[in-house]
Amino acid sequence: MSSQLLKRFKSRRMTLPPESDCTRDTPASPDATIKRCSYIKPMFDFWQSLLAALERIAMLPSLIHSVFPSLSSRKRMRDAVRTYDRTMDDLLREIQRLFEAPLKPAKLLQMSGKLQEQFAPKLQASDICMLPSYNDKLPTGLEQGTYLALDVGGSTFRVAVVELSGKHPGAKSMRIVNMKSYTIDSSVRNLQGNAFFDWMAERIEAAIADPQVKKINGTQSLGMGLAWSFPVEQTSIRSGNLLAMGKGFLATEGTLGQDLSELIMAPCRKRNLPVRMDSIVNDASATLLSRAYEDPATRFAVILGTGFNVAVHLPTSALATSKYRGYPQKWLDEASHVLVNTELSMFGKNVFPTTRWDDALNENHVRPDFQPFEHMISGRYLGEIVRLIIVEAVQTAGLFSGELPEKLSEPYSLDTETLAAIEMDESKNSTEAIAVFQSRHPLSKPPTLHDIGFLCQVCKLVSRRAAAFLAAGIHSLWSLRITSEGLTPQTAERMAIGCNGSVIEKYPSFRELCQSHLNELTTASGAEPHAISLEIAVESAIFGAAVAVCCLEK
Ligand code: BGC
């Protein structure tokens, strides 16, 4: 992306029409404004009430019809005389103020500091975040072999044969030989307890029936590596206890705390599948392993797709000894570092300022407050924040002439991918953005240029805030790592971060914006420019699941 384009994206000010004196938060000349407002306000209120009464009369037929809403009644609603609490420009100005105010470097640094305060007790004791693994060393990149890798993500389950061939000049060191992908929709997310693991076993059975997979081990059982996109309390390199799952999954009903390996292996055995679980890692840790296989300087990995997480390679001493309960003495004697699944998504309560839309999202969530950070930045939630704003804008400011597209009244019906498509259209007439929105959320008349302009600005405000908050989160863990290594920002070496997930990989300008905030924050802390670089790690969960098995065989 050109630096000019980035500047435009980063520019703090969006061009909005000037506010009227009476609605401005801080009036230019308070006395004069108050005086003028003192007689304008009652007059305004009188006209508002009169219009509202007329509106009720004019809308009576459509109100009756709204019990059985039809396209024509929705059209009548739209065409009826409507008054709104405020203009769209007024509302947009408020949204802009709320979403941009926290993004100044000094404020982001403060958030990073507060996050570090939240880390401290969790590094001492917590069974849901700052979770150590049994992976102490990172791969050398020379390991070789062919493995069956499983990746349970928020919206897909993938089963792949992965070939690792070590470093050869000019050749790819990791290759997916064969992969089957199964959608995880809400019906799968709603499967409770063992029903979910049965569903997995059925898919594993289908995937290994492929002749290419059968070829790997002949008649011997297949070693599997699992990348699990949820927290897990590791009990060995190949097992771990199931912890609470976010992303709307119900698989923990009646199975919470049980051994994840056994939960998957039991239905596999019932089906006589020739497989065994060799390794379990969280998907963020898998991303770190996979990226480190290619670049030994990697110490961090970020996942930002449906969910959000960061894995870090930390000195073992960064975590209290009680965190290693049950670890073999040999491991404790030999390990200098440990791969930690931070579950960063669970931090951030009272750190990140919230808006009324964030609060509404949290209140209506199945697990309120479980993952405050994720609620503000991940792909599962960006669309929902924008949807809540749209609903308010339709009802109070006349967006889409007051018509709410039918589907948008349902929670989580606006995909983050639609936001990305709207932001992507930089043309003057927004033809593409209008077409995308109208095809996914039909209105009786397509959105006007003003409507789509409003929507596009809202998407940008929501996604830019997410990119900035992610930078604050990465900065906080970077600071933690530097301190626990006994380094300073000046003496710390440059660091690469492997990044995976639809938002960080594909959302327009997201990674570039986050990188630019990171540059500001790390230099403000005294580091050389570009102390951290965000690098895409393609298919890293599936590769990482294989690398984890491979490391085991070293
Ligand atoms: C989960 C993490 C996972 C992340 C990315 C979060 O919701 O709690 O375990 O790594 O999503 O998939």
Side-chain angles (χ1 to χ4, degrees), residues 35 71 170 181 273 349 378 383 467 501:
K35 258 183 228 146
L71 195 66
S181 191
L273 305 186
K349 181 82 187 162
S378 92

Side-chain angles (χ1 to χ4, degrees), residues 229-231 247 282-283 303 307-309 343 345 371 374:
S229 72
F230 306 94
K247 302 176 187 163
N282 170 263
D283 60 346
I303 297 247
F308 162 56
N309 199 0
E343 290 293 338
S345 66
Q371 293 175 302
E374 184 162 300

